[in-house]
Amino acid sequence: MANQASTPDFLEEDQSIRIATRLNWLRAGVMGANDGIVSTAGLVVGVAGAAVSSNALMAAGIAALSAGAMSMAVGEYVSVASQRDSQAAELSNEQAELLADPEGELEQLSRLIERGGIEPRLARKVAQQLTHHDALGAHARLELGIDPDELVSPWHAAWASMIAFVVGGLVPLLAILLTPRASAVPITAAAVVIALAGTGAISAHLGGAAKTRAMVRTVGGGIAAMAITYAIGLLVGTQI
């Protein structure tokens, strides 16, 4: 039986960089939604525990959703902008090294390709072709683990985090506003548990981890947050 052709490791590594980048964006979106669920649920349940009016509850929920979304967007922008600056600096340093010692960089690229399972003579030819086509791109992918064509975007990250937070936060906010006041808290808690179980399962799936453990962790954290804030709301409400 003929052996099936295998993809060289250095090509698989290039593909894995692209896949990992997309998975990181998806995971960040899921975690943003999770933060929106937990933080908004904690606040609206706490305010409901204080037995305030429906208008006050709506105002508090919208304020929490807006402030949380803006905080997530700004935080993500600053974080990703710093990461992009770091990537740009690495690419700039690599470009300077290519200009200062092209032969040494070619030899280094050859060795990197050899580690992917390519015999030395062929690795040298591949390195020469890659250098001729795009020297910086080849070194960035194989040496630095960076795809120069897909540098992280702070604006994309900021918008994605903000939207994910709002989508997640709307679950407890709508649940507590659209249900009868007498049963609003337990219905909201149930909606939050279901939503958190979903985000926990998705994040575990993206990361290749055990789903049950992730679901228990996210649901347990959400329940703890709601219980604590509801108790504080009850305590504050009795003092007003």
Side-chain angles (χ1 to χ4, degrees):
M1 181 181 295
N3 293 330
Q4 291 183 345
S6 60
T7 303
D9 290 349
F10 74 91
L11 293 179
E12 291 181 350
E13 182 178 354
D14 184 22
Q15 185 179 22
S16 68
I17 293 173
R18 298 175 184 271
I19 294 174
T21 299
R22 293 185 177 91
L23 287 178
N24 284 337
W25 283 116
L26 289 172
R27 192 177 295 112
V30 172
M31 297 312 296
N34 186 81
D35 289 344
I37 295 168
V38 174
S39 60
T40 306
L43 187 138
V44 296
V45 168
V47 173
V52 298
S53 66
S54 297
N55 288 337
L57 181 59
M58 178 185 296
I62 293 175
L65 197 61
S66 302
M70 291 304 300
S71 176
M72 285 289 294
V74 172
E76 195 69 15
Y77 178 88
V78 172
S79 175
V80 175
S82 298
Q83 181 183 354
R84 186 185 180 92
D85 290 344
S86 177
Q87 291 178 333
E90 289 187 84
L91 292 174
S92 179
N93 291 336
E94 188 62 36
Q95 181 65 66
E97 292 175 2
L98 285 168
L99 293 174
D101 185 16
E103 186 59 34
E105 291 298 304
L106 177 61
E107 181 63 29
Q108 181 184 45
L109 186 61
S110 298
R111 291 197 300 269
L112 290 171
I113 295 173
E114 284 182 44
R115 293 176 187 173
I118 306 300
E119 61 96 14
R121 184 178 299 178
L122 179 57
R124 180 76 176 187
K125 291 182 179 179
V126 172
Q128 290 172 337
Q129 292 182 9
L130 289 175
T131 299
H132 178 73
H133 175 69
D134 181 8
L136 179 60
H139 280 270
R141 293 181 178 89
L142 297 179
E143 181 182 348
L144 305 177
I146 298 174
D147 186 345
D149 298 326
E150 294 190 13
L151 293 183
V152 292
S153 169
W155 284 110
H156 289 170
W159 280 107
S161 295
M162 183 173 68
I163 293 172
F165 186 95
V166 170
V167 170
L170 283 174
V171 172
L173 181 59
L174 293 177
I176 206 163
L177 292 177
L178 299 179
T179 53
R181 191 62 182 273
S183 57
V185 171
I187 290 177
T188 300
V192 167
V193 166
I194 294 172
L196 289 177
T199 59
I202 294 172
S203 63
H205 178 72
L206 293 175
K211 293 182 181 180
T212 301
R213 182 180 300 177
M215 292 168 65
V216 170
R217 186 165 52 241
T218 55
V219 170
I223 291 175
M226 288 187 292
I228 293 171
T229 54
Y230 185 69
I232 293 173
L234 287 175
L235 179 62
V236 172
T238 59
Q239 302 300 319
I240 298 177

